[in-house]
Amino acid sequence: MIDFLLGLIEEHAFLGLFITSFLASTILPLGSEVFVVLLISKGFDTFTIIMVASIGNYLGACTTYYIGLIGRRDIIERFFSISREQLEKTDKLFAKYGVFLLLLTWMPIIGDAIAAMGGILKLDFKVFSFYVFIGKMARYTVLSYITVGALAGIQ
């Protein structure tokens, strides 16, 4: 059974990584980190892993941004598990740090609130995209190279 599951993961590795990364940045409390580590340990190309995970996670954040943009706080609170209090705290953080806060959309719990607040505040989508993608890619780059280093140390 384990061999079957590993074979399935390897056969659909990048599609699975993309979907997991996308969902991790939207409505499901998933972590795509395990998938990244697994693919690196299986010898998949590190650059491709970084890009697929970054793009999937970025597009998930764009979904959250869009829902905020159209003013659907009810959806954000119900399906994204972002409370009104989190949104208010994030609003204050935006007032203090500006668009640089978008670099932290990769963080658990607060990241989704940051993406949603970006939409609620109607931030320019180009600015949103630039900072969010840079933050997401930095996250997966660091994770990937820590994993590569750790695996090299094991061998």
Side-chain angles (χ1 to χ4, degrees):
M1 181 65 163
I2 298 292
D3 289 335
F4 171 75
L5 289 175
L6 288 175
L8 192 62
I9 288 170
E10 288 180 17
E11 187 176 331
H12 303 287
F14 292 119
L15 177 61
L17 177 60
F18 177 85
I19 291 169
T20 303
S21 298
F22 177 87
L23 292 175
S25 189
T26 55
I27 59 174
L28 298 177
L30 292 174
S32 53
E33 296 83 4
V34 173
F35 217 117
V36 169
V37 171
L38 176 66
L39 294 184
I40 290 171
S41 72
K42 291 290 184 184
F44 285 87
D45 180 63
T46 303
F47 178 76
T48 305
I49 291 168
I50 292 168
M51 293 309 296
V52 169
S54 298
I55 292 168
N57 215 243
Y58 159 76
L59 290 174
C62 290
T63 303
T64 307
Y65 168 91
Y66 179 73
I67 291 169
L69 183 68
I70 61 173
R72 296 304 308 259
R73 286 185 187 232
D74 58 324
I75 292 174
I76 291 169
E77 290 176 14
R78 188 176 319 134
F79 296 107
F80 287 68
S81 301
I82 300 171
S83 69
R84 193 170 300 271
E85 293 79 29
Q86 284 176 305
L87 289 174
E88 289 170 4
K89 286 179 186 177
T90 304
D91 189 31
K92 290 176 185 173
L93 289 172
F94 265 108
K96 185 173 183 177
Y97 298 107
V99 295
F100 297 108
L101 187 62
L102 294 169
L103 291 168
L104 303 179
T105 56
W106 60 268
M107 292 181 68
I109 301 168
I110 193 169
D112 293 339
I114 294 170
M117 188 53 70
I120 291 168
L121 294 174
K122 299 185 180 354
L123 296 178
D124 180 274
F125 186 69
K126 291 176 192 166
V127 172
F128 174 87
S129 291
F130 176 78
Y131 286 104
V132 169
F133 190 77
I134 294 298
K136 302 285 190 181
M137 193 166 71
R139 167 197 187 190
Y140 287 112
T141 300
V142 169
L143 172 64
S144 295
Y145 284 100
I146 287 173
T147 302
V148 167
L151 290 173
I154 293 172
Q155 296 173 351

